[in-house]
């Protein structure tokens, strides 16, 4: 890894395996307490990996997870990492009313700030669900005191995406004329479309040599990229949710057995830090 390589943002969306959007047709929220929670154990594993590699990261923590497992946020903050918000209930933003979104956003922010003992500046929506239908949420984020967002994915997808948004970090005008810093999920422009290359199921699906090549193309811009992962994606022993469709089964479980080893290689091959640090290095005031 070149010493001159730009720093990139390493991010973790802290949620449990049974809380993902793809499982909602099979698991009602009222059933969540019936499942064995593995998020604390899995987050500890990621924290240990980051510590081994001397990397600081940004953890977008779900408010209901922080409420049930307050040790998670305290340990993240004690490790020198950035704590940010992943909302409260993991509901899709565009399925909420502005009132519901405002209440959940403020509730989660309050929980996280009390536990981390520091201001929470960053936000990431559940399943990247700030789309053209829910841009109104950005004004609520500004009102709540957030200074940056990382919810917009510049791709076509059945659940999320604004394909033509500026793919680099930028100041984004909100519908009511305010501004917030947006750090979109990183993609690679192929000329015909934006290819998702920076985490999650895409990281588990693509061979590592391809991901490394694609991310190096992004680093050539000298702007850096943003990478994301979920704690459940390194958990080989998580329970299998029965009865799910083939597509959902593939999306959720594909490549989990190799994910930890690939993450270790990624952390060796690229420079990583928090979202806040990358944005400050790019002269954004947050």
């Amino acid at each position: 890894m070149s010493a001159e390589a730009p720093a990139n943002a390493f991010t973790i969306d802290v949620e449990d395996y049974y809380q993902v959007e793809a499982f909602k047709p099979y698991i009602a929220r009222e059933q969540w307490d019936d499942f064995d929670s593995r998020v604390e154990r899995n987050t500890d594993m990621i924290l240990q990996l980051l510590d081994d590699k001397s990397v600081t990261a940004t953890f977008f923590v779900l408010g209901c997870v922080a409420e049930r497992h307050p040790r998670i946020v305290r340990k993240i903050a004690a490790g020198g990492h950035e704590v940010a918000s992943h909302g409260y209930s993991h509901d899709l933003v565009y399925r909420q009313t502005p009132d519901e979104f405002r209440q959940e956003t403020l509730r989660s922010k309050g929980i996280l700030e009390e536990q981390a003992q520091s201001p929470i500046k960053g936000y990431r929506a559940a399943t990247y669900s700030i789309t053209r239908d829910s841009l109104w949420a950005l004004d609520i984020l500004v009102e709540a005191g957030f200074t940056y967002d990382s919810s917009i994915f510049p791709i076509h997808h059945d659940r999320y995406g604004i394909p033509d948004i500026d793919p680099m970090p930028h100041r984004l005008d909100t519908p009511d004329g305010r501004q917030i810093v947006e750090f979109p999920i990183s993609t690679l422009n192929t000329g015909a479309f934006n290819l998702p290359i920076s985490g999650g199921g895409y990281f588990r699906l693509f061979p590592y040599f391809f991901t490394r090549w694609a991310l190096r193309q992004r680093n050539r811009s000298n702007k850096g990229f943003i990478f994301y992962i979920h704690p459940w994606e390194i958990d080989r022993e998580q329970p299998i949710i029965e009865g799910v469709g083939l597509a959902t089964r593939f999306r959720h479980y594909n490549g989990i057995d190799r994910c930890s080893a690939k993450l270790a290689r990624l952390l060796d091959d690229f420079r990583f830090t928090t979202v806040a640090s990358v944005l400050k290095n790019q002269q954004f005031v947050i």
Side-chain angles (χ1 to χ4, degrees):
M1 178 173 58
S2 168
E4 290 75 33
N8 307 289
F10 193 93
T11 69
I12 301 93
D13 295 351
V14 181
E15 62 198 53
D16 228 323
Y17 66 98
Y18 51 80
Q19 295 172 324
V20 302
E21 179 63 26
F23 288 156
K24 284 189 178 176
Y26 311 96
I27 302 172
R29 178 166 290 115
E30 295 75 26
Q31 296 176 287
W32 282 4
D33 287 345
D34 298 336
F35 285 82
D36 173 32
S37 178
R38 301 177 65 82
V39 67
E40 190 166 347
R41 167 192 175 274
N42 294 334
T43 303
D44 279 350
M45 289 172 63
I46 289 180
L47 284 166
Q48 185 60 59
L49 176 61
L50 294 172
D51 187 56
D52 291 344
K53 302 294 184 180
S54 300
V55 169
T56 52
T58 297
F59 288 74
F60 292 94
V61 184
L62 206 58
C64 65
V65 167
E67 202 168 50
R68 185 176 178 185
H69 304 282
R71 175 184 168 277
I72 290 178
V73 171
R74 292 174 186 142
K75 189 166 184 179
I76 289 167
H81 304 284
E82 179 187 12
V83 178
S85 175
H86 197 32
Y88 180 81
S89 66
H90 212 260
D91 275 344
L92 299 178
V93 174
Y94 52 75
R95 291 184 184 162
Q96 294 182 303
T97 67
D99 248 7
E100 289 169 337
F101 178 76
R102 180 180 288 106
Q103 290 174 22
E104 286 209 351
T105 300
L106 292 173
R107 181 179 181 181
S108 178
K109 192 170 191 285
I111 292 167
L112 297 175
E113 288 184 335
E114 189 279 327
Q115 292 179 358
Q117 289 295 290
S118 65
I120 303 299
K121 298 181 177 182
Y123 178 86
R124 175 174 287 162
T127 318
Y128 309 106
S129 54
I130 293 184
T131 66
R132 293 216 179 275
D133 292 332
S134 52
L135 288 173
W136 49 263
L138 296 174
D139 281 297
I140 294 173
L141 293 179
V142 175
E143 291 167 10
F146 291 97
T147 56
Y148 78 82
D149 174 68
S150 182
S151 301
I152 299 178
F153 215 140
I155 62 170
H156 290 282
H157 190 277
D158 57 345
R159 293 196 184 101
Y160 52 78
I162 303 180
D164 58 350
I165 195 170
D166 182 347
M168 294 296 186
H170 61 281
R171 291 203 167 275
L172 180 61
D173 293 327
T174 71
D176 284 352
R178 301 177 175 91
Q179 282 195 332
I180 191 168
V181 175
E182 180 65 34
F183 199 153
I185 307 305
S186 297
T187 56
L188 182 68
N189 187 282
T190 67
F193 58 89
N194 291 329
L195 183 68
I197 55 168
S198 57
Y202 308 108
F203 179 67
R204 290 183 282 115
L205 175 64
F206 294 141
Y208 182 73
F209 73 84
F210 175 78
T211 296
R212 182 177 57 193
W213 171 84
L215 293 177
R216 282 177 175 168
Q217 303 311 301
R218 278 284 307 223
N219 267 183
R220 288 181 179 176
S221 70
N222 209 35
K223 290 284 188 179
F225 58 82
I226 190 166
F227 183 88
Y228 73 95
I229 202 74
H230 303 85
W232 56 262
E233 292 187 272
I234 63 167
D235 184 2
R236 301 180 182 185
E237 299 173 3
Q238 67 184 275
I240 303 296
I241 305 300
E242 298 298 334
V244 303
L246 288 177
T248 295
R249 182 179 290 267
F250 178 79
R251 282 181 176 180
H252 187 87
Y253 297 109
N254 177 66
I256 282 178
D257 58 332
R258 302 181 299 276
C259 192
S260 288
K262 290 171 76 173
L263 278 179
R265 292 183 66 185
L266 186 83
L267 292 169
D268 285 336
D269 286 341
F270 295 91
R271 288 179 60 213
F272 284 107
T273 185
T274 65
V275 176
S277 294
V278 171
L279 291 175
K280 287 176 183 177
N281 288 342
Q282 295 187 26
Q283 307 307 309
F284 290 101
V285 177
I286 60 168

